[in-house]
Amino acid sequence: MRNMTKFRAIGTMAGILFTCLFIFALFYFQNTESSANGPVMTESDGYQIATFQVKDDGFYPANIEVKAGVPTKLNFKKPSGFTCIRSVASRDIGLDLYLEKGDNFTTLQDLKPGTYKLHCGMYMYYVTITVK
C-alpha cells in the first residue's frame, strides 16, 4: 500500500510539472512571426498607411513621417495578445484605441503639419507622428 501511495505522489508531481512546462511553452512560443515586419509606410486606395509594431517594450518605429493633406490610416500591429500594451491614445488627434492581437487600424482624415504624440494606456511607451 505504501508503494501505491508513493507512485501516486510521483505521478501527481510529474503531472503538475508537465502542465507547468506546457503552459510555459504555450506562452514562450506563442509569437511565431518572423522578425521581418514589412514596410512601415505603404499606400493603398488613396490612403497612406503607417504601421507600428507593438512589442513588449514599446512601439516600433518610435517616429514616423506622413504627408499632410493625405488621408492616413494607422495600423498598430500586435503580434501577441500577451503584451502589457493594451491601448494607444492621443489627445493631439483625439485617439483612444483598444488593441487586439493582429492588425488594429484607425483612420485620420485631415492631419495638419506638425508633430503628434501618442502613448500607451499607462503612459509608459510613446510614439510620434510627424506630418510634413
Side-chain angles (χ1 to χ4, degrees):
M1 203 60 149
R2 282 183 108 187
N3 281 343
M4 189 61 127
T5 305
K6 187 185 209 182
F7 286 126
R8 185 175 293 162
I10 291 172
T12 302
M13 288 172 46
I16 292 170
L17 179 63
F18 178 76
T19 302
C20 290
L21 286 174
F22 177 76
I23 291 170
F24 171 77
L26 180 69
F27 284 103
Y28 185 77
F29 295 110
Q30 194 257 347
N31 182 8
T32 58
E33 290 187 15
S34 71
S35 61
N37 295 318
V40 174
M41 288 296 301
T42 58
E43 290 191 25
S44 177
D45 298 327
Y47 288 93
Q48 55 187 342
I49 303 170
T51 300
F52 297 95
Q53 298 297 319
V54 181
K55 307 279 183 163
D56 288 333
D57 59 346
F59 300 100
Y60 295 93
N63 183 21
I64 201 162
E65 199 173 286
V66 297
K67 299 174 205 163
V70 179
T72 304
K73 287 186 181 183
L74 303 179
N75 181 15
F76 294 91
K77 191 171 185 131
K78 190 172 177 181
S80 170
F82 299 104
T83 66
C84 76
I85 299 176
R86 303 256 185 244
S87 64
V88 62
S90 172
R91 287 186 184 187
D92 293 346
I93 57 176
L95 176 69
D96 188 9
L97 179 66
Y98 180 78
L99 301 175
E100 304 267 342
K101 179 181 176 186
D103 292 318
N104 296 275
F105 286 96
T106 188
T107 303
L108 307 172
Q109 289 299 327
D110 191 26
L111 289 176
K112 306 288 185 219
T115 301
Y116 301 93
K117 296 184 186 266
L118 294 82
H119 57 82
C120 73
M122 294 178 60
Y123 293 86
M124 292 176 62
Y125 302 109
Y126 295 86
V127 66
T128 304
I129 299 172
T130 304
V131 181
K132 292 189 174 191

